[in-house]
Structures are given as C-alpha cells and as structure tokens.
Amino acid sequence: MAISLFAIFAILLVVGMPVAFAIAISAFGAVMIQGRYPSIVVVKEMFTGLDSFPLMAVPFFVLAAEIMTGGAMTLILLRFAAQFFGRMRGGLGYANVFSSTLFAGVSGSALADAAGPGAMMIRMMEKEGYDKSYASALTASAAIVGPIIPPSITMIIYAMQDERVSVGGLFMAGILPGLLISCCFAGANYIMSRRRNYRAAADRPALGQMLRNSIAALPALMLIVLIVGGIRGGIFTPTEASVVAVFYALFCGMFVYRSLKLSALPSILATAAITSGAILLILAAARAFAWVLIIERVPQSVAQYIVALELSPIVFLLAVNLLLLVFGLFMDPLPGVMILVPILAPIAHSLGIDPIHFAIIVIVNLTMGLVTPPVGSLLFVVSSVVKIPVTSILREMPIFFLANIAILMILTFVPAISTWLPRVSGF
C-alpha cells in the first residue's frame, strides 16, 4: 500500500494537482487499492487530524497576522527598519532584511511578509536604483525567516508530531536561528551591493525623528515579547497566546495606531478564514497520508534500516538535510512536517540527537523550500505582487541559495544555536 501511496502522490504532483488534494487523493487511492480497510477510514482520519485543541492556535495566529500587517502598522515598521541605514551602500537591502525579521515576530508567515511589507520594500529599492529582480530575490529569500522567529504555525504543527518538544521550547529555539538567517542574507546583500554599488539617495533621519519612529514601532514589536514571555512565564498556553495576540492586535490597530476601522474587519476575517481553511485542509490530508504510512509500518522499517547502518549523528543529519532539500522542491513546509517528522524524529532520538536541534534543522530546511522551484511559493507570490517573471527572480537567486546552504551547515554543526535559549529558559 505504501508503494501505491507514493506513486499516486508523485503522479498527482507532476500533473499539477494542488498539494492538499494530491495528499488526500493518494491516501484514498492507496486504501482502495489495498482493499483491507474501508475508504471511509481516510475521512475519519482527516477529521481526527483536526480534532486537536493546539490546532485552534492556527486560525487565531493567522487572524492576528492579518490585523497586525494591515494599514499604518506596516508603514510604521518599515520606517523604523529603514531609518538606521541611510546612505550606506546596500542600505535599503539591509532594511529589507531587517524589516523581514521584524515582521516575522508579528505575522509568523513568510508569504504574508513577502506579499505585504516585502512588496513595499521592492518598490522602494527599485525607486532608489536597485535592480527589480535583485530586490525581488532578496525579499523572497529574507521572508523565509517568517516561520522561524516566533510565532510560528510550522512549529505548532511540529510539536504535535513529536511529543519530545514543546511549542514554547520551539518558539525560544527559533530566535537565534532566525537572526542567523537574517545575518547571512545581510552578508549576501553586502557582497552584491559592493559589486553593483547600490546606494540609497536619502540621508539618515535626524535623531529626534529616529526616536519618534522607534517609539511608534514599540507597540507592534511588543507582540513577540507578549507571546514568548507569556508562554515562558506560564501565564497562558500557546493556544491561549494566539487569542491574546488577536486582542492585542485589535487594540493596537484601533486605539494605538488608529489605522484599523470596524468596516475593515469583515474583509480581514474573510481573508483569515480562507487562509486558515487552506492550512487546515492540508493538515487534515497530511494526517490521512501519515496514517497510511503508520499502518504499513513505514516509519519503523525506515528507522530499523537506518539504525542498522550505524550512521554517526552528523552523517545522519547531513543525509536528512539532503533529503529535505530535495523534498522541499515539491512540498510546502506544513505537509512536509506532517509526513516526515513521524518517520525521522524517532531515528534522530535513537541516535542521541537533541530533539530541539533536530526540529530546527527540519523546520528551517523545509521552509527554504519556499524559494526553490518548481513549487517555490514565495517566488510566485513575489512575482505576482510586483509583476515580474519568476525566471528574472531566479537569475538573482544563486547567492541566496549558497547562503541557505551555509545556514544549514552552521545549524547542523553548531547545535547550541538552536538549543541554548530553550535550555536557559527552562525548556
């Protein structure tokens, strides 16, 4: 049954079937071909996959992101990020990376960061003489930090697949890797800006204006402190934190920045509902897919085979990196986590690899698949919002692909980047 499962899934992906439907149909097909179980069991597993209290955090974090990234809040954070770089060579490129890091703590979504503030940064960079293709490639690459710095829906889903890690622990673990990602892309921008002499025309604002911009940005930036601090302090669970984030976003939008109108709420709610529905449909289908793998004992068989090879932890992690890089070419992070973590996490545990270290490697690696074709969701989002061919963006991507490989190697060989903050925080 496992062979027919993967065969149907591969065929459906090749013909362009949306990922959620490809996963669900392949599970149905495998069960019907095998004939041992009624096909209704697939539907039952899909519903079971969504019958989880922690999953309630998904629509609430999505709604909080929609509220926080709308209106004046986006402009305020962009102004705060851009003010530090002035006429520095490559300054707007650094501001682009910095703003992606800031918005990661607000939205937790790579696609939202690229489509909202990212698109605005591309237009600003083009106006100052940056090549539009380069600005688009930098924006798409920097946006992958969205699901790494908390809050992160991907981390919530991962914690549901591996009981050895907690959502709070993963949230803390993502902070330093997220900053590492931003530093690596800032380094890539440094190289390209010196090579092409990219320089902004605007001077750095006066000190008083910078202070006003920073004070204005503080309420939005406090969201990540509220979420991580509340979870760490035991004030609320991650699911409760998502609800708190929604009310905090409403308060900031309506009373602090006064940019959110009641008339805009129906549109925001509709967008959040559509996004949440798409995410939950993928998760439901992936649960049915994973159930087929489990009843066929695929995770156990793979684990026994790999353990018998007597690989060292480092060799195993390098092999996992290669596997995930290939897997990420065709699969978004959420279904990737649902399908692969039940197989790979027990093996990593048996080899003595820290579960949080392994989780960060998996999450970062799969998130990088958002900028690798043929799926590459971030490439297509940026392409559509700024009206530029994907091929033009890809021509500028090699240096960012190299940065991605460097990031993975650093995270693989330096576990403390992932494990130090959770350890000192009590996770």
Side-chain angles (χ1 to χ4, degrees):
M1 186 158 60
I3 295 175
S4 58
L5 176 75
F6 285 111
I8 297 172
F9 180 56
I11 292 171
L12 293 176
L13 284 183
V14 169
V15 301
M17 177 77 69
V19 172
F21 294 104
I23 295 172
I25 292 173
S26 60
F28 270 110
V31 169
M32 293 178 68
I33 290 173
Q34 199 273 344
R36 194 191 327 165
Y37 302 95
S39 57
I40 192 66
V41 75
V42 177
V43 178
K44 177 256 183 188
E45 287 299 323
M46 292 178 68
F47 275 96
T48 300
L50 298 181
D51 185 17
S52 170
F53 180 74
L55 266 185
M56 290 180 63
V58 172
F60 284 112
F61 273 131
V62 169
L63 178 57
E66 290 293 332
I67 297 171
M68 291 290 286
T69 56
M73 204 172 303
T74 300
L75 293 174
I76 288 170
L77 288 179
L78 281 180
R79 193 181 301 126
F80 172 73
Q83 69 182 351
F84 297 103
F85 303 101
R87 293 177 60 85
M88 181 188 305
R89 182 183 282 114
L92 280 182
Y94 298 127
N96 193 332
V97 175
F98 186 30
S99 65
S100 291
T101 308
L102 296 179
F103 276 97
V106 173
S107 72
S109 167
L111 300 181
D113 291 355
M120 297 174 67
M121 281 301 308
I122 292 172
R123 297 185 183 99
M124 292 171 60
M125 293 175 71
E126 184 184 17
K127 183 179 179 181
E128 295 294 339
Y130 290 73
D131 186 276
K132 189 175 183 179
S133 299
Y134 171 74
S136 300
L138 176 62
T139 298
S141 299
I144 68 170
V145 77
I148 310 303
I149 292 180
S152 169
I153 293 173
T154 307
M155 290 180 177
I156 295 172
I157 303 307
Y158 189 103
M160 293 176 61
Q161 308 307 308
D162 185 359
E163 61 184 13
R164 301 176 187 86
V165 297
S166 66
V167 174
L170 290 181
F171 277 9
M172 294 300 298
I175 295 175
L176 291 183
L179 296 178
L180 170 67
I181 292 170
S182 297
C183 288
C184 286
F185 288 134
N189 177 68
Y190 172 81
I191 294 171
M192 296 301 295
S193 297
R194 288 187 64 86
R195 185 179 301 171
R196 301 180 182 182
N197 196 30
Y198 288 142
R199 190 185 295 272
D203 292 322
R204 182 176 297 176
L207 183 60
Q209 183 62 48
M210 292 182 67
L211 183 60
R212 286 190 291 272
N213 291 342
S214 301
I215 293 174
L218 275 178
L221 298 177
M222 283 299 295
L223 178 62
I224 185 173
V225 178
L226 178 67
I227 293 172
V228 176
I231 295 174
R232 173 64 187 88
I235 301 173
F236 38 68
T237 67
T239 305
E240 293 164 346
S242 65
V243 180
V244 172
V246 169
F247 282 99
Y248 182 79
L250 283 171
F251 175 78
C252 287
M254 299 182 72
F255 301 108
V256 178
Y257 297 115
R258 299 182 180 179
S259 60
L260 181 64
K261 306 299 181 183
L262 286 175
S263 59
L265 287 181
S267 175
I268 290 174
L269 288 169
T271 302
I274 293 171
T275 302
S276 301
I279 293 172
L280 294 175
L281 180 59
I282 291 175
L283 297 180
R287 168 60 185 251
F289 192 100
W291 174 81
V292 175
L293 293 178
I294 291 170
I295 63 170
E296 289 295 294
R297 297 186 57 81
V298 172
Q300 295 89 333
S301 299
V302 173
Q304 291 172 3
Y305 174 76
I306 293 180
V307 170
L309 295 177
E310 298 183 351
L311 300 176
S312 68
I314 286 296
V315 173
F316 172 73
L317 288 177
L318 292 175
V320 166
N321 276 321
L322 181 59
L323 169 66
L324 295 179
L325 284 173
V326 175
F327 194 85
L329 295 175
F330 308 99
M331 184 69 68
D332 284 338
L334 290 181
V337 166
M338 292 282 288
I339 293 170
L340 292 178
V341 170
I343 299 175
L344 298 176
I347 304 173
H349 179 68
S350 68
L351 294 175
I353 298 171
D354 188 288
I356 287 183
H357 178 212
F358 184 74
I360 293 299
I361 289 177
V362 171
I363 292 169
V364 171
N365 202 317
L366 288 175
T367 303
M368 288 176 176
L370 293 172
V371 291
T372 54
V375 176
S377 303
L378 279 172
L379 299 177
F380 291 100
V381 167
V382 172
S383 171
S384 64
V385 296
V386 298
K387 304 297 186 289
I388 184 173
V390 172
T391 52
S392 298
I393 301 177
L394 286 174
R395 282 197 292 269
E396 299 284 352
M397 288 298 296
I399 190 168
F400 300 114
F401 288 148
L402 291 176
N404 283 340
I405 299 301
I407 291 164
L408 287 176
M409 292 302 98
I410 294 172
L411 291 177
T412 298
F413 287 96
V414 189
I417 296 175
S418 306
T419 60
W420 180 74
L421 264 182
R423 184 176 297 119
V424 299
S425 301
F427 289 103

